């Protein structure tokens, strides 16, 4: 029997307080009436109103959303292909380089990734804007997707796929109707990860974005350089709310799917 | 090899070649070029139309001047050293904060563990920028922390924490804590309780059983967690720029300023290349550790 003493209780409480208190304080102050972040002057939602009247923020939010949806979708397709290659393709010329290129962006400092992509865009004369941000985000998020998906693929019993092929499926059909349903939770998790990474990225987007296009993190960055503002607190609160709701519901759904599948498998065994 | 298989390999391969490896080659090339007042602001510029003569002139124009420059101006090596030091101290702090959390998680009842894990991961999903920004409002001289400490009478004068190294340590520990906690938790979770019971039966106190059994068996998780905090912390830009003020030198910030403020692309590229060479060592060590762990698990 494992013991859960006062020491463990204290360290968990303190640890979670450390993780969550800063965000709680941020959220509380977004409802502050006063412009001064340090003085509490009563409850108000006026900064939210202010935020929704701010065209610049709304435009930036729209650009960010577009970039995140497009780049995470392309990254999921490419990343799943790359995972398939890493786990299934066996030996082929240049395999080491390939897996190196998948893992390197994960540990590469963002400033270097950003700088190198910008220099590429300039070298080939590509005008910077939404398109280049999408290219940049797709490139680093596909690596995250492929790591997540290949972990799931590695545990997947290949004979199921071979059975489908023996029964006359084309390779694509076998992938679609056998492999994909099994790795779907990992693919969805990969998409979510790519989406939030893109939503969140400041450094790479700053390099890849032209003067004409601004994403939300770039906009937030330029205003917090001037100090804490209740408007940014309101915006942060919305973002924290949306992401938390998304992550929590995604994990509940995948848990439910797992329970359902376990039940089906049990029934199949008994049946 | 059939067409389909070729396509599955070729598409992601070409994408990464074009958008990861080639840009990298460009950085390397520009780091060997010289600053010029032109568009693009560096020379030599590879002129493919000039053919072989152009290629020769191009290679003749490359040199290591920028790297020599990095060693002569003490700003750069001070920034590299201070980045390494800040990353190292934050990693140690993150271990001190993270280990007890991971330990407590592994001692919780099985029903609680997924929820606790979720609670540790959730902040990782919410915006990095916002989580760093939250600390600006807390650590300010008029911030929440100072107000609280003065209200409770702990201090009479506000502390200056924002725009110091301390703030950077706090920021790094805070944002990278999940990376420390999760690998340690993963190794502690697999730990066989019978080993601890055996140690206690053989006369170990609970504390010495912890030191002699639990800590050595969670070594792999500790090493993985330390690398996962240390490696990204070295090249960090947002945290020192937002919390560190102008006093705190970190190489990520130097690179950013070199590019965006000074517009010196060749030096920015040279800074990037040296940073990467420095990072190569911990990255290789980390890979080795991971491989050893996989082999141990068989």
């Amino acid at each position: 029997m494992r013991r859960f003493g006062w020491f463990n209780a204290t360290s968990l409480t303190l640890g979670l307080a450390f993780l969550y208190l800063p965000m709680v304080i941020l959220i509380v102050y977004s409802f502050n009436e006063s412009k001064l972040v340090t003085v509490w002057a009563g409850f108000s939602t006026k900064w939210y109103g202010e935020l929704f009247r701010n065209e610049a923020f709304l435009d930036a939010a729209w650009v960010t959303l577009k970039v995140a949806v497009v780049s995470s979708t392309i990254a999921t397709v490419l990343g799943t292909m790359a995972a398939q290659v890493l786990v299934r393709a066996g030996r082929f010329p240049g395999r080491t380089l390939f897996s190196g290129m998948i893992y390197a962006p994960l540990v590469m400092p963002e400033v270097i990734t950003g700088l190198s992509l910008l220099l590429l865009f300039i070298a080939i004369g590509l005008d910077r804007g939404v398109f280049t941000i999408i290219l940049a985000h797709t490139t680093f998020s596909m690596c995250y997707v492929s790591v997540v998906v290949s972990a799931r693929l590695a545990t997947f019993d290949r004979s199921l796929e071979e059975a489908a092929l023996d029964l006359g499926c084309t390779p694509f059909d076998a992938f679609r109707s056998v492999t994909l349903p099994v790795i779907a939770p990992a693919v969805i998790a990969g998409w979510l990860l790519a989406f939030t990474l893109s939503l969140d990225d400041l450094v790479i987007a700053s390099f890849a974005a032209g003067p004409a296009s601004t994403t939300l993190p770039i906009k937030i960055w330029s205003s917090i350089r001037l100090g804490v503002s209740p408007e940014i607190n309101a915006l942060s609160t919305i973002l924290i709310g949306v992401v938390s709701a998304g992550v929590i519901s995604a994990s509940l759904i995948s848990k439910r799917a797992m329970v359902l599948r376990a039940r089906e498998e049990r029934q199949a065994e008994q049946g | 090899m059939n067409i389909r298989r070729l396509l599955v390999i070729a598409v992601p391969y070409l994408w990464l070649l074009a958008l990861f490896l080639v840009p990298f080659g460009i950085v390397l090339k520009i780091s060997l070029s010289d600053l010029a007042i032109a568009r693009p602001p560096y020379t030599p510029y590879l002129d493919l139309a000039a053919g072989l003569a152009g290629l020769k002139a191009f290679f003749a124009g490359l040199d290591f001047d920028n790297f020599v420059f990095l060693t002569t101006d003490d700003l750069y090596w001070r920034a590299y050293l201070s980045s390494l030091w800040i990353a190292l101290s934050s990693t140690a702090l993150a271990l001190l904060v993270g280990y007890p959390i991971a330990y407590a998680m592994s001692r919780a009842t099985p029903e609680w563990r997924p929820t606790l894990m979720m609670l540790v991961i959730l902040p990782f999903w919410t915006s990095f920028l916002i989580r760093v920004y939250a600390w600006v409002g807390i650590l300010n001289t008029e911030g929440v922390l100072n107000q609280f400490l003065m209200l409770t009478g702990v201090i009479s004068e506000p502390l200056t924490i924002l725009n110091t190294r301390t703030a950077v340590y706090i920021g790094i520990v805070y944002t990278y804590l999940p990376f420390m906690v999760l690998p340690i938790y993963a190794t502690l979770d697999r730990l066989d309780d019978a080993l601890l019971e055996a140690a206690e039966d053989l006369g170990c106190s609970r504390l010495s059983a912890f030191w002699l059994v639990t800590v050595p068996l969670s070594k792999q998780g500790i090493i993985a967690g330390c690398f996962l905090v240390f490696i990204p912390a070295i090249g960090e830009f947002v945290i020192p720029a937002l919390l560190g003020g102008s006093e705190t030198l970190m190489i990520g910030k130097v690179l950013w300023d070199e590019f965006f403020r000074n517009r010196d692309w060749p030096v920015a590229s040279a800074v990037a290349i040296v940073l990467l060479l420095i990072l190569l060592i911990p990255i290789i060590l980390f890979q080795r550790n991971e491989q050893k762990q996989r082999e141990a698990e068989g």
Side-chain angles (χ1 to χ4, degrees), chain A residues 2 4 8 18-20 38 89 94 108-109 115-118 122 138-139 171 196 200 206 224-225 228-229 233, chain B residues 4-5 13 15 19 23 27 103-104 106-107 119 123 125 127-128 133 142 147 174 193 241 256 259 265 276 279:
Chain A
R2 294 184 172 197
F4 196 76
N8 288 331
F18 177 60
L19 281 176
Y20 285 92
T38 48
M108 187 74 76
L115 176 73
S116 65
L117 281 166
L118 170 58
I122 289 171
T138 305
T139 307
T196 47
D200 197 23
S206 301
I224 57 185
R225 296 295 279 170
V228 176
S229 91
N233 281 13
Chain B
R4 199 192 78 94
R5 178 162 179 260
Y13 208 132
W15 183 289
L19 285 145
V27 173
Y103 185 77
S106 73
R107 303 273 109 180
L119 282 171
W125 287 86
S127 170
F128 183 82
Y133 162 72
E142 302 103 40
Q147 280 186 5
Y174 178 67
D193 278 349
W256 177 284
F259 190 86
W265 298 11
L276 212 68
L279 278 172

Side-chain angles (χ1 to χ4, degrees), chain B residues 12-151:
Chain B
Y13 208 132
L14 290 176
W15 183 289
L16 286 172
L17 276 182
L19 285 145
F20 181 73
L21 206 64
V22 170
F24 215 66
I26 297 177
V27 173
L28 186 63
K29 188 233 127 187
I30 293 181
S31 75
L32 300 171
S33 309
D34 296 315
L35 184 65
I37 300 169
R39 269 182 89 89
Y42 55 84
T43 168
Y45 189 69
L46 180 55
D47 186 7
L48 285 175
L52 200 62
L55 208 63
K56 248 186 201 159
F58 167 74
F59 277 110
L62 296 180
D63 53 51
F64 288 94
D65 284 359
N66 298 309
F67 292 95
V68 174
F69 174 68
L70 291 192
T71 60
T72 53
D73 193 332
D74 72 340
L75 167 80
Y76 299 102
W77 59 261
R78 280 212 333 252
Y80 283 116
L81 283 181
S82 128
S83 298
L84 282 173
W85 175 247
I86 289 174
L88 204 65
S89 343
S90 322
T91 306
L93 283 171
L95 179 61
L96 281 179
V97 177
Y99 199 96
I101 300 175
Y103 185 77
M105 280 169 70
S106 73
R107 303 273 109 180
T109 55
E111 305 89 76
W112 265 97
R113 270 179 253 163
T115 314
L116 289 174
M117 198 136 115
M118 180 75 201
L119 282 171
V120 172
I121 298 173
L122 191 61
F124 163 75
W125 287 86
T126 49
S127 170
F128 183 82
L129 183 59
I130 288 171
R131 279 185 297 145
V132 180
Y133 162 72
W135 283 97
V136 178
I138 295 172
L139 299 177
N140 239 318
T141 36
E142 302 103 40
V144 180
L145 182 67
N146 272 317
Q147 280 186 5
F148 175 76
L149 290 177
M150 275 161 61
L151 208 70

Side-chain angles (χ1 to χ4, degrees), chain A residues 72 141 144-145 148 188-198, chain B residues 124-125:
Chain A
S72 58
S141 16
Y144 284 90
V145 174
V148 173
I188 294 168
W191 187 87
L192 268 175
L193 184 59
F195 184 78
T196 47
L197 284 171
S198 167
Chain B
F124 163 75
W125 287 86

